[in-house]
């Protein structure tokens, strides 16, 4: 009798153990891809600095990080690459786009979460979610087909001549459009989860609704809103396709002129990749290392600031 | 709230601004120079065509502030940028932009084929001497190469060449009408490897051609290794022809020089197609003809405004 009961229990335990092991294995496999990817990029990206690249000579790492011209000399025959100015252009473009997308995104989130009637809020939420899922190439086509002309004509009316609209401004507009949905979605969750008692307390003390929204709700949701900005910056830093269609691929000289052409680390990696070979191909992996480093540094900095400012707990 | 209103106001102004536009062409406006990336074959053809070969693979000799875009994007940019100048392959030219006459000749396919339009380069082929193919005289490789060369003169090949963006020479011969002269194509050739090389600008066209031809010729293996026009002769009839880099068919994106043609008989080389490039500007630009010298001076920065460019 005992045996009859024992056997199914043992079998169940064995199944549990098996399932646990399989899931564990899959988790390890998934997590290990980060090491595989980072490893491949790292190895490929370091070769231009340590080998002589088939007779061209190795790339000087210091000049690579600080220089002001992407490539001096002939493609496929020169080792004088540098991304110094591109790093700064990238950060410049991303911060400008955040300057637009952050206020717009957060205020939209406030409207959806606190002010809009339920039906409108539901509708807006769906629209924002759809916007967030639009592929970046669609934003790029919209940029190339519409924003470029808009920026060109707009600057012409102001008396400036832009380069067919290929400019910092177009890039910033596209990046802002792409990051607004990210910022809105995450900010909205943070704003909605602000403790009701805080709001009621503020209203009971005689504050108007607007005062409560801006002074109590937004500051209580600070931490979550900051997270949305971090993710927004992440999306903007990593965007390549859409940006390459409107940036104009600046190849030398740092410029902060919003109507001049620009380039980012991602567009530099992407452009001409199809027809490239040898060092000109490998160097794109080095740019990839720089991009990963920039993203890590920006994320750590923002997280540090977030810890400093986000004192109020959000449930 | 103020911020939202400000952003809305800004967007509104931009929309209104986009609706109006002045029609005056300002000759004193700066020229915006558009170019392809240094890895582009079209850039190579254009720069050598205007006598500015040093800019083919080097951005630092170009005028400062140029814009890098690809073929379609340059075409699109010229519909927006009134003061821009760019270049595209002739096959993608349409009436949304103005294709400039080059040295007085209109950019049309007819003018390319009758050899009057000069902003172009020939795509040439060259094969090894008779009996000098791997496997000796009349080997499968030699017969396949001869068949391939015959295929290049057919309308089947012309379609492939035109699809790849080059301009094929006029022909009315079909492959079906001549394939019986090349019995080797009826066999199974999957064990035979033919080596193709030469110009990297032609690689795309050459690969499209061999891909189509290998299916018609017993699935032989086409091995592509394109290293530059200089190697077209060197690796088929020159000093490296018997080394491991040797080729059976070499392509060149320029005419063969007299030194190169010296030890080669006329049946060993021929022209595959033309690669024509056209300089384009916005439709409102008053200029309609341009010289190689003017283009070079625009691209190296000597001419900064459209008023500098001599009108002819």
């Amino acid at each position: 009798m005992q045996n009859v009961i024992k056997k199914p229990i043992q079998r169940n335990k064995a199944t549990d153990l098996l399932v646990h092991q399989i899931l564990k294995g899959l988790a390890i496999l998934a997590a290990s891809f980060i090491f595989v990817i980072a490893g491949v990029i790292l190895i490929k990206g370091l070769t231009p600095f340590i080998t002589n690249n088939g007779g061209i000579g190795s790339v000087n790492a210091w000049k690579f990080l600080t220089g002001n011209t992407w490539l001096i000399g002939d493609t496929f025959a020169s080792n004088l690459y540098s991304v110094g100015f591109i790093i700064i252009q990238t950060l410049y473009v991303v911060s400008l786009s955040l300057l637009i997308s952050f206020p717009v995104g957060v205020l939209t989130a406030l409207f959806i979460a606190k002010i809009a009637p339920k039906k409108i809020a539901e509708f807006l939420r769906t629209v924002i979610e759809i916007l967030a899922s639009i592929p970046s190439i669609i934003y790029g086509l919209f940029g190339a087909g519409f924003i470029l002309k808009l920026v060109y004509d707009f600057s012409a009316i102001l008396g400036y001549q832009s380069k067919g609209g290929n400019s910092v401004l177009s890039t910033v507009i596209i990046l802002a459009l792409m990051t607004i949905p990210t910022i809105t979605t995450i900010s909205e969750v943070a704003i909605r989860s602000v403790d009701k008692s805080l709001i009621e307390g503020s209203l009971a003390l005689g504050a108007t609704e607007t005062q409560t929204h801006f002074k109590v709700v937004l500051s209580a949701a600070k931490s979550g809103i900051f997270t949305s900005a971090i993710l927004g910056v992440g999306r903007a830093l990593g965007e390549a396709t859409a940006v390459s269609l409107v940036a104009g691929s600046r190849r030398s000289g740092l410029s902060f002129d919003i109507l001049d052409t620009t380039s980012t680390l991602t567009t530099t990696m992407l452009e001409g990749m199809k027809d490239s070979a040898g060092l000109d191909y490998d160097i794109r992996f080095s740019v990839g290392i720089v991009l990963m480093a920039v993203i890590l540094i920006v994320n750590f900095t923002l997280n540090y600031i977030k810890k400093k400012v986000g004192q109020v707990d959000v449930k | 709230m103020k911020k939202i209103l400000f952003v809305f106001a800004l967007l509104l102004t931009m929309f209104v601004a986009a609706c109006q536009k002045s029609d005056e062409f300002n000759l004193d406006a700066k020229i915006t120079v558009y170019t392809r990336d240094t890895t582009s074959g079209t850039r190579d053809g254009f720069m050598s065509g205007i006598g500015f070969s040093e800019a083919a693979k080097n951005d630092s000799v170009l005028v400062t502030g140029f814009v890098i875009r690809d073929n379609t994007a340059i075409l699109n940019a010229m519909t927006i940028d009134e003061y821009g100048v760019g270049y595209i392959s002739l096959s993608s030219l349409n009436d949304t932009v103005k294709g400039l006459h080059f040295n007085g000749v209109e950019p049309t396919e007819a003018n390319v084929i009758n050899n009057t339009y000069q902003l172009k380069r020939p795509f040439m082929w060259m094969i090894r001497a008779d009996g000098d193919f791997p496997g000796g005289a009349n080997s499968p490789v030699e017969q396949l190469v001869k068949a391939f060369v015959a295929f290049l003169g057919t309308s089947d090949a012309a379609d492939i060449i035109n699809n790849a963006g080059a301009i094929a020479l006029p022909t009315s011969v079909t492959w079906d009408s001549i394939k019986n002269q090349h019995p080797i194509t009826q066999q199974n050739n999957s064990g035979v490897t033919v080596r193709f090389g030469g110009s990297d600008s032609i690689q795309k066209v050459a690969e499209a051609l061999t891909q189509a031809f290998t299916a018609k010729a017993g699935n032989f293996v086409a091995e592509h290794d394109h290293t530059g026009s200089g190697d077209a002769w060197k690796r088929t009839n020159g000093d490296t022809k018997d080394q491991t880099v040797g080729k059976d068919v070499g392509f060149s994106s320029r005419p063969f020089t007299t030194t190169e043609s010296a030890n080669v008989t006329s049946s060993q080389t021929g022209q595959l197609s033309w690669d024509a490039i056209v300089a384009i500007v916005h439709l409102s630009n008053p200029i309609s003809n341009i010289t190689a010298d003017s283009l070079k001076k625009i691209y190296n920065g000597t001419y900064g405004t459209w008023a500098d460019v001599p009108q002819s």
Side-chain angles (χ1 to χ4, degrees):
Chain A
M1 198 56 193
Q2 255 186 342
N3 274 344
V4 181
I5 298 170
K6 226 177 183 177
K7 264 186 184 166
I9 291 175
Q10 271 175 344
R11 207 179 299 141
N12 284 347
K13 270 192 177 164
T15 328
D16 280 351
L17 201 67
L18 188 70
V19 170
H20 282 189
Q21 291 307 325
I22 290 173
L23 294 187
K24 195 189 199 173
L26 285 175
I28 290 172
L29 188 70
S32 63
F33 280 128
I34 181 74
F35 296 106
V36 175
I37 292 169
V40 167
I41 299 282
L42 214 61
I43 291 165
K44 281 284 263 181
L46 286 177
T47 45
F49 301 106
I50 48 180
T51 65
N52 83 337
N53 302 304
I56 301 173
S58 66
V59 177
N60 181 321
W62 173 250
K63 283 194 181 136
F64 180 71
L65 289 174
T66 54
N68 203 18
T69 303
W70 163 239
L71 174 63
I72 301 169
D74 283 8
T75 310
F76 308 130
S78 167
N79 62 352
L80 301 171
Y81 286 92
S82 51
V83 291
F85 73 108
I86 302 178
I87 298 175
I88 298 173
Q89 303 266 48
T90 307
L91 295 173
Y92 176 62
V93 164
V94 168
S95 8
L96 280 190
S97 76
L98 194 67
L99 220 57
I100 299 177
S101 60
F102 187 66
V104 174
V106 171
L107 294 177
T108 310
L110 182 65
F111 179 76
I112 294 175
K114 289 292 165 206
I115 300 167
K118 219 175 182 185
K119 272 190 181 161
I120 297 178
E122 202 53 57
F123 172 70
L124 282 176
R125 203 172 287 138
T126 320
V127 170
I128 298 285
E129 270 159 20
I130 292 171
L131 272 180
S133 66
I134 290 179
S136 57
I137 182 67
I138 303 289
Y139 281 100
L141 289 177
F142 173 72
F146 182 71
I147 302 282
L148 285 186
K149 192 167 167 45
L150 196 73
V151 168
Y152 181 79
D153 291 343
F154 183 61
S155 53
I157 279 176
L158 294 182
Y160 293 102
Q161 188 193 341
S162 79
K163 293 173 174 163
N166 295 289
S167 60
V168 173
L169 185 59
S170 308
T171 313
V172 165
I173 293 174
I174 289 295
L175 283 180
L177 286 178
M178 294 183 69
T179 45
I180 284 173
T182 314
I183 292 178
T184 306
T185 321
I186 295 162
S187 299
E188 199 231 326
V189 174
I191 290 171
R192 257 194 300 164
S193 56
V194 170
D195 201 337
K196 271 250 164 63
S197 60
L198 276 176
I199 299 167
E200 278 156 8
S202 163
L203 291 172
L205 285 171
T208 64
E209 258 191 28
T210 308
Q211 282 171 328
T212 311
H213 287 151
F214 279 87
K215 301 214 162 136
V216 177
V217 176
L218 284 191
S219 44
K222 240 187 319 198
S223 165
I225 290 172
F226 216 86
T227 308
S228 78
I230 294 175
L231 288 168
V233 167
R235 181 154 198 210
L237 271 177
E239 183 46 46
T241 330
V243 174
S244 71
L245 289 171
V246 296
S249 318
R250 190 177 194 81
R251 285 292 190 262
S252 66
L254 184 61
S255 160
F256 293 114
D257 182 351
I258 62 162
L259 285 179
D260 210 345
T261 53
T262 187
S263 57
T264 66
L265 290 169
T266 47
T267 60
T268 312
M269 288 158 78
L270 183 69
E271 280 155 8
M273 182 129 186
K274 271 192 295 184
D275 297 316
S276 199
L279 174 60
D280 194 60
Y281 179 77
D282 291 342
I283 199 78
R284 288 153 208 270
F285 289 86
S286 316
V287 180
I289 299 180
V290 173
L291 178 66
M292 292 198 296
V294 167
I295 289 176
L296 276 181
I297 293 169
V298 167
N299 264 328
F300 278 129
T301 319
L302 289 178
N303 274 309
Y304 179 76
I305 300 174
K306 180 184 149 189
K307 261 184 203 151
K308 288 272 162 185
V309 296
Q311 302 290 0
V312 183
D313 278 339
V314 177
K315 280 180 188 169
Chain B
M1 240 13 213
K2 266 186 187 167
K3 277 177 189 159
I4 301 186
L5 283 177
F6 175 72
V7 170
F8 273 128
L10 192 76
L11 280 177
L12 199 69
T13 356
M14 287 176 85
F15 270 86
V16 173
C19 298
Q20 333 164 324
K21 212 172 134 195
S22 62
D23 289 334
E24 289 279 299
F25 188 86
N26 177 10
L27 279 174
D28 292 323
K30 275 190 218 127
I31 303 174
T32 312
V33 170
Y34 289 80
T35 179
R36 297 285 304 275
D37 193 76
T38 46
T39 52
S40 153
T42 310
R43 172 167 170 158
D44 193 8
F46 176 77
M47 293 302 175
S48 31
I50 64 168
F52 195 19
S53 308
E54 57 269 40
K57 297 210 180 303
N58 189 342
D59 280 333
S60 40
V61 296
L62 286 181
V63 56
T64 47
F66 59 88
V67 183
I68 297 179
R69 304 306 305 268
D70 61 26
N71 203 60
T72 329
I74 289 179
L75 183 68
N76 186 34
M78 285 313 125
T79 65
I80 299 172
D81 194 338
E82 291 171 272
Y83 307 109
V85 62
Y87 55 88
I88 55 173
S89 85
L90 181 58
S91 51
S92 34
L93 181 67
N94 61 33
D95 56 9
T96 59
V97 299
K98 191 193 265 186
L100 293 178
H101 294 216
F102 185 74
N103 294 338
V105 183
E106 193 186 354
T108 61
E109 277 190 29
N111 284 344
V112 169
I113 289 165
N114 70 24
N115 211 354
T116 49
Y117 182 77
Q118 291 304 322
L119 189 47
K120 64 174 180 343
R121 51 182 180 168
F123 281 176
M124 311 289 294
W125 53 262
M126 177 179 276
I127 59 174
R128 298 176 83 94
D130 285 359
D132 192 32
F133 288 87
N138 232 5
S139 64
V141 176
E142 177 165 355
Q143 292 180 46
L144 277 171
V145 168
K146 294 265 165 77
F148 178 70
V149 165
F151 172 72
L152 292 181
T154 64
S155 55
D156 304 61
D159 287 344
I160 296 165
I161 292 168
N162 289 331
N163 278 338
I167 296 167
L169 305 178
T171 172
S172 55
V173 184
T174 65
W175 173 246
D176 281 340
S177 69
I178 60 162
K179 70 177 175 194
N180 289 333
Q181 300 165 20
H182 301 280
I184 181 82
T185 59
Q186 312 302 321
Q187 301 169 11
N188 176 12
N189 296 314
S190 55
V192 184
T193 301
V194 181
R195 301 162 301 166
F196 296 85
S199 165
D200 39 4
S201 313
I202 308 184
Q203 184 163 3
K204 229 182 285 173
V205 179
E207 280 176 351
L209 285 167
T210 55
Q211 202 186 355
F213 186 65
T214 182
K216 296 181 197 295
N219 295 316
F220 69 91
V221 181
E223 191 184 272
H224 284 272
D225 170 29
H226 293 258
T227 46
S229 294
D231 287 329
W233 168 77
K234 263 186 229 154
R235 295 186 176 184
T236 55
N237 293 284
D239 41 8
T240 52
K241 74 182 172 85
D242 294 323
Q243 297 174 9
T244 49
V245 294
K247 297 286 173 277
D248 303 312
V249 181
F251 294 99
S252 163
S253 50
R254 55 168 173 74
F256 290 109
T257 62
T258 39
T259 348
E260 286 173 346
S261 329
N263 69 341
V264 177
T265 60
S266 63
S267 65
Q268 275 176 264
T269 83
Q271 188 176 349
L272 173 75
S273 67
W274 288 106
D275 179 33
I277 298 153
V278 56
I280 54 168
V281 292
H282 192 265
L283 284 174
S284 70
N285 196 319
I287 207 166
S288 61
N289 178 42
I290 199 149
T291 62
D293 186 54
S294 297
L295 277 175
K296 182 180 174 181
K297 284 181 173 156
I298 289 172
Y299 273 85
N300 71 15
T302 315
Y303 293 159
T305 68
W306 283 107
D308 293 341
V309 181
Q311 310 273 323
S312 51

Short mmCIF file of all heavy atoms in Angstrom, two decimals, chain B residues 102-135:
data_model
loop_
_atom_site.label_atom_id
_atom_site.label_comp_id
_atom_site.label_asym_id
_atom_site.label_seq_id
_atom_site.Cartn_x
_atom_site.Cartn_y
_atom_site.Cartn_z
N PHE B 102 26.32 67.76 -69.03
CA PHE B 102 27.74 67.71 -68.67
C PHE B 102 28.58 68.08 -69.88
O PHE B 102 28.49 67.41 -70.91
CB PHE B 102 28.09 66.32 -68.15
CG PHE B 102 29.50 66.20 -67.64
CD1 PHE B 102 29.86 66.76 -66.42
CD2 PHE B 102 30.47 65.53 -68.38
CE1 PHE B 102 31.15 66.65 -65.94
CE2 PHE B 102 31.77 65.42 -67.91
CZ PHE B 102 32.10 65.98 -66.68
N ASN B 103 29.35 69.15 -69.76
CA ASN B 103 30.13 69.68 -70.89
C ASN B 103 29.24 69.87 -72.13
O ASN B 103 29.65 69.60 -73.25
CB ASN B 103 31.31 68.77 -71.23
CG ASN B 103 32.34 68.75 -70.11
OD1 ASN B 103 32.40 69.68 -69.30
ND2 ASN B 103 33.13 67.70 -70.05
N GLY B 104 27.98 70.29 -71.91
CA GLY B 104 27.09 70.61 -73.01
C GLY B 104 26.25 69.46 -73.53
O GLY B 104 25.44 69.65 -74.44
N VAL B 105 26.41 68.26 -72.99
CA VAL B 105 25.66 67.11 -73.51
C VAL B 105 24.58 66.68 -72.49
O VAL B 105 24.87 66.55 -71.30
CB VAL B 105 26.59 65.93 -73.83
CG1 VAL B 105 25.80 64.77 -74.43
CG2 VAL B 105 27.69 66.36 -74.74
N GLU B 106 23.39 66.47 -72.99
CA GLU B 106 22.28 66.09 -72.13
C GLU B 106 22.48 64.68 -71.58
O GLU B 106 22.89 63.78 -72.31
CB GLU B 106 20.97 66.15 -72.94
CG GLU B 106 19.74 66.09 -72.07
CD GLU B 106 18.46 66.01 -72.89
OE1 GLU B 106 18.53 66.12 -74.14
OE2 GLU B 106 17.40 65.83 -72.28
N PRO B 107 22.18 64.47 -70.28
CA PRO B 107 22.34 63.13 -69.72
C PRO B 107 21.18 62.22 -70.09
O PRO B 107 20.14 62.23 -69.43
CB PRO B 107 22.38 63.38 -68.21
CG PRO B 107 21.62 64.65 -68.01
CD PRO B 107 21.76 65.44 -69.27
N THR B 108 21.31 61.47 -71.16
CA THR B 108 20.29 60.48 -71.52
C THR B 108 21.00 59.16 -71.84
O THR B 108 22.20 59.16 -72.15
CB THR B 108 19.51 60.89 -72.80
OG1 THR B 108 20.46 60.99 -73.87
CG2 THR B 108 18.81 62.21 -72.62
N GLU B 109 20.27 58.08 -71.79
CA GLU B 109 20.87 56.78 -72.08
C GLU B 109 21.41 56.75 -73.51
O GLU B 109 22.46 56.18 -73.79
CB GLU B 109 19.86 55.66 -71.88
CG GLU B 109 19.77 55.25 -70.43
CD GLU B 109 18.96 53.98 -70.23
OE1 GLU B 109 18.92 53.14 -71.14
OE2 GLU B 109 18.38 53.86 -69.13
N ALA B 110 20.65 57.40 -74.45
CA ALA B 110 21.08 57.41 -75.85
C ALA B 110 22.44 58.09 -75.97
O ALA B 110 23.34 57.59 -76.66
CB ALA B 110 20.05 58.13 -76.70
N ASN B 111 22.62 59.22 -75.27
CA ASN B 111 23.90 59.93 -75.34
C ASN B 111 25.03 59.16 -74.67
O ASN B 111 26.19 59.35 -74.99
CB ASN B 111 23.76 61.32 -74.72
CG ASN B 111 23.04 62.27 -75.64
OD1 ASN B 111 22.90 61.99 -76.83
ND2 ASN B 111 22.56 63.37 -75.10
N VAL B 112 24.67 58.31 -73.71
CA VAL B 112 25.70 57.46 -73.10
C VAL B 112 26.16 56.42 -74.10
O VAL B 112 27.35 56.21 -74.32
CB VAL B 112 25.15 56.79 -71.82
CG1 VAL B 112 26.11 55.71 -71.34
CG2 VAL B 112 24.91 57.82 -70.75
N ILE B 113 25.18 55.77 -74.76
CA ILE B 113 25.52 54.68 -75.67
C ILE B 113 26.24 55.20 -76.92
O ILE B 113 27.17 54.58 -77.40
CB ILE B 113 24.25 53.87 -76.00
CG1 ILE B 113 23.84 53.09 -74.75
CG2 ILE B 113 24.49 52.91 -77.16
CD1 ILE B 113 22.46 52.54 -74.78
N ASN B 114 25.84 56.42 -77.43
CA ASN B 114 26.57 56.94 -78.60
C ASN B 114 27.85 57.66 -78.21
O ASN B 114 28.49 58.32 -79.02
CB ASN B 114 25.66 57.80 -79.48
CG ASN B 114 25.30 59.13 -78.82
OD1 ASN B 114 26.01 59.64 -77.94
ND2 ASN B 114 24.20 59.70 -79.24
N ASN B 115 28.21 57.56 -76.90
CA ASN B 115 29.52 58.01 -76.42
C ASN B 115 29.73 59.52 -76.48
O ASN B 115 30.85 59.99 -76.55
CB ASN B 115 30.63 57.30 -77.22
CG ASN B 115 31.87 57.10 -76.36
OD1 ASN B 115 31.91 57.57 -75.23
ND2 ASN B 115 32.85 56.40 -76.89
N THR B 116 28.65 60.32 -76.42
CA THR B 116 28.84 61.77 -76.38
C THR B 116 28.80 62.29 -74.95
O THR B 116 29.50 63.23 -74.60
CB THR B 116 27.79 62.52 -77.23
OG1 THR B 116 26.49 62.03 -76.88
CG2 THR B 116 28.03 62.31 -78.70
N TYR B 117 27.97 61.66 -74.10
CA TYR B 117 27.90 62.09 -72.70
C TYR B 117 29.12 61.53 -71.97
O TYR B 117 29.36 60.32 -71.98
CB TYR B 117 26.60 61.58 -72.06
CG TYR B 117 26.42 62.00 -70.63
CD1 TYR B 117 26.03 63.30 -70.31
CD2 TYR B 117 26.66 61.11 -69.59
CE1 TYR B 117 25.87 63.70 -68.99
CE2 TYR B 117 26.51 61.50 -68.27
CZ TYR B 117 26.12 62.79 -67.98
OH TYR B 117 25.97 63.18 -66.68
N GLN B 118 29.90 62.41 -71.34
CA GLN B 118 31.22 61.98 -70.86
C GLN B 118 31.32 61.64 -69.38
O GLN B 118 32.31 61.06 -68.95
CB GLN B 118 32.27 63.04 -71.20
CG GLN B 118 32.56 63.15 -72.69
CD GLN B 118 32.99 61.81 -73.30
OE1 GLN B 118 33.72 61.05 -72.68
NE2 GLN B 118 32.50 61.52 -74.50
N LEU B 119 30.31 62.02 -68.56
CA LEU B 119 30.43 61.72 -67.13
C LEU B 119 30.04 60.26 -66.92
O LEU B 119 28.98 59.93 -66.40
CB LEU B 119 29.55 62.66 -66.30
CG LEU B 119 29.74 62.61 -64.77
CD1 LEU B 119 31.20 62.65 -64.39
CD2 LEU B 119 28.99 63.71 -64.09
N LYS B 120 30.89 59.39 -67.37
CA LYS B 120 30.59 57.97 -67.31
C LYS B 120 31.90 57.20 -67.36
O LYS B 120 32.96 57.77 -67.63
CB LYS B 120 29.72 57.57 -68.50
CG LYS B 120 30.42 57.73 -69.85
CD LYS B 120 29.55 57.18 -70.93
CE LYS B 120 30.06 57.25 -72.34
NZ LYS B 120 31.11 58.10 -72.75
N ARG B 121 31.82 55.93 -67.07
CA ARG B 121 33.01 55.09 -67.21
C ARG B 121 32.56 53.76 -67.78
O ARG B 121 31.44 53.32 -67.54
CB ARG B 121 33.72 54.91 -65.87
CG ARG B 121 32.76 54.47 -64.78
CD ARG B 121 33.47 54.35 -63.46
NE ARG B 121 32.49 53.93 -62.46
CZ ARG B 121 32.82 53.51 -61.25
NH1 ARG B 121 34.08 53.43 -60.90
NH2 ARG B 121 31.90 53.14 -60.40
N PRO B 122 33.41 53.12 -68.56
CA PRO B 122 33.03 51.83 -69.13
C PRO B 122 33.28 50.72 -68.12
O PRO B 122 34.21 50.81 -67.32
CB PRO B 122 33.97 51.69 -70.32
CG PRO B 122 35.18 52.46 -69.93
CD PRO B 122 34.74 53.56 -69.01
N PHE B 123 32.45 49.70 -68.13
CA PHE B 123 32.73 48.48 -67.39
C PHE B 123 33.29 47.49 -68.41
O PHE B 123 32.60 47.13 -69.36
CB PHE B 123 31.46 47.94 -66.73
CG PHE B 123 31.07 48.65 -65.45
CD1 PHE B 123 29.89 48.31 -64.79
CD2 PHE B 123 31.87 49.63 -64.89
CE1 PHE B 123 29.53 48.96 -63.61
CE2 PHE B 123 31.53 50.27 -63.71
CZ PHE B 123 30.34 49.93 -63.08
N MET B 124 34.55 47.06 -68.22
CA MET B 124 35.21 46.19 -69.20
C MET B 124 35.43 44.80 -68.61
O MET B 124 35.50 44.64 -67.40
CB MET B 124 36.59 46.77 -69.57
CG MET B 124 36.62 48.23 -69.93
SD MET B 124 35.86 48.60 -71.51
CE MET B 124 36.99 47.77 -72.61
N TRP B 125 35.54 43.81 -69.49
CA TRP B 125 35.95 42.49 -69.03
C TRP B 125 37.20 42.05 -69.78
O TRP B 125 37.49 42.54 -70.87
CB TRP B 125 34.84 41.45 -69.18
CG TRP B 125 34.24 41.35 -70.56
CD1 TRP B 125 33.09 41.94 -70.99
CD2 TRP B 125 34.75 40.62 -71.68
NE1 TRP B 125 32.85 41.65 -72.30
CE2 TRP B 125 33.86 40.83 -72.77
CE3 TRP B 125 35.88 39.81 -71.90
CZ2 TRP B 125 34.05 40.26 -74.03
CZ3 TRP B 125 36.07 39.25 -73.16
CH2 TRP B 125 35.15 39.48 -74.19
N MET B 126 37.96 41.15 -69.17
CA MET B 126 39.16 40.59 -69.82
C MET B 126 39.30 39.15 -69.37
O MET B 126 39.06 38.84 -68.20
CB MET B 126 40.40 41.39 -69.40
CG MET B 126 41.70 40.84 -69.96
SD MET B 126 43.11 41.84 -69.47
CE MET B 126 43.09 43.14 -70.68
N ILE B 127 39.63 38.25 -70.31
CA ILE B 127 39.80 36.84 -69.94
C ILE B 127 41.21 36.39 -70.25
O ILE B 127 41.96 37.07 -70.94
CB ILE B 127 38.77 35.93 -70.66
CG1 ILE B 127 38.92 36.05 -72.18
CG2 ILE B 127 37.36 36.26 -70.22
CD1 ILE B 127 38.05 35.08 -72.96
N ARG B 128 41.57 35.23 -69.73
CA ARG B 128 42.92 34.71 -69.96
C ARG B 128 43.11 34.34 -71.44
O ARG B 128 42.14 34.22 -72.18
CB ARG B 128 43.16 33.46 -69.11
CG ARG B 128 43.08 33.71 -67.62
CD ARG B 128 43.22 32.42 -66.86
NE ARG B 128 44.60 32.05 -66.69
CZ ARG B 128 45.32 32.35 -65.61
NH1 ARG B 128 44.76 33.03 -64.62
NH2 ARG B 128 46.58 31.97 -65.50
N ALA B 129 44.35 34.14 -71.85
CA ALA B 129 44.64 33.77 -73.24
C ALA B 129 44.16 32.34 -73.50
O ALA B 129 44.07 31.52 -72.58
CB ALA B 129 46.13 33.88 -73.50
N ASP B 130 43.86 32.01 -74.77
CA ASP B 130 43.41 30.67 -75.14
C ASP B 130 44.42 29.63 -74.65
O ASP B 130 45.62 29.78 -74.84
CB ASP B 130 43.28 30.55 -76.67
CG ASP B 130 42.04 31.27 -77.17
OD1 ASP B 130 41.30 31.83 -76.31
OD2 ASP B 130 41.83 31.30 -78.39
N GLY B 131 43.92 28.57 -74.04
CA GLY B 131 44.79 27.50 -73.59
C GLY B 131 45.49 27.78 -72.29
O GLY B 131 46.22 26.94 -71.77
N ASP B 132 45.29 28.99 -71.71
CA ASP B 132 45.98 29.36 -70.49
C ASP B 132 45.07 29.21 -69.27
O ASP B 132 45.34 29.75 -68.20
CB ASP B 132 46.50 30.80 -70.62
CG ASP B 132 47.48 31.16 -69.49
OD1 ASP B 132 48.18 30.25 -69.04
OD2 ASP B 132 47.49 32.33 -69.08
N PHE B 133 43.95 28.49 -69.44
CA PHE B 133 43.03 28.33 -68.32
C PHE B 133 43.41 27.11 -67.49
O PHE B 133 44.10 26.21 -67.99
CB PHE B 133 41.59 28.17 -68.85
CG PHE B 133 41.04 29.45 -69.40
CD1 PHE B 133 41.25 29.81 -70.74
CD2 PHE B 133 40.32 30.32 -68.60
CE1 PHE B 133 40.75 30.99 -71.25
CE2 PHE B 133 39.81 31.50 -69.10
CZ PHE B 133 40.03 31.83 -70.43
N PRO B 134 42.98 27.05 -66.24
CA PRO B 134 43.27 25.85 -65.43
C PRO B 134 42.73 24.62 -66.14
O PRO B 134 41.61 24.64 -66.64
CB PRO B 134 42.50 26.10 -64.12
CG PRO B 134 42.22 27.56 -64.08
CD PRO B 134 42.22 28.05 -65.49
N GLY B 135 43.53 23.58 -66.20
CA GLY B 135 43.11 22.37 -66.88
C GLY B 135 43.56 22.32 -68.33
O GLY B 135 43.25 21.38 -69.04
#
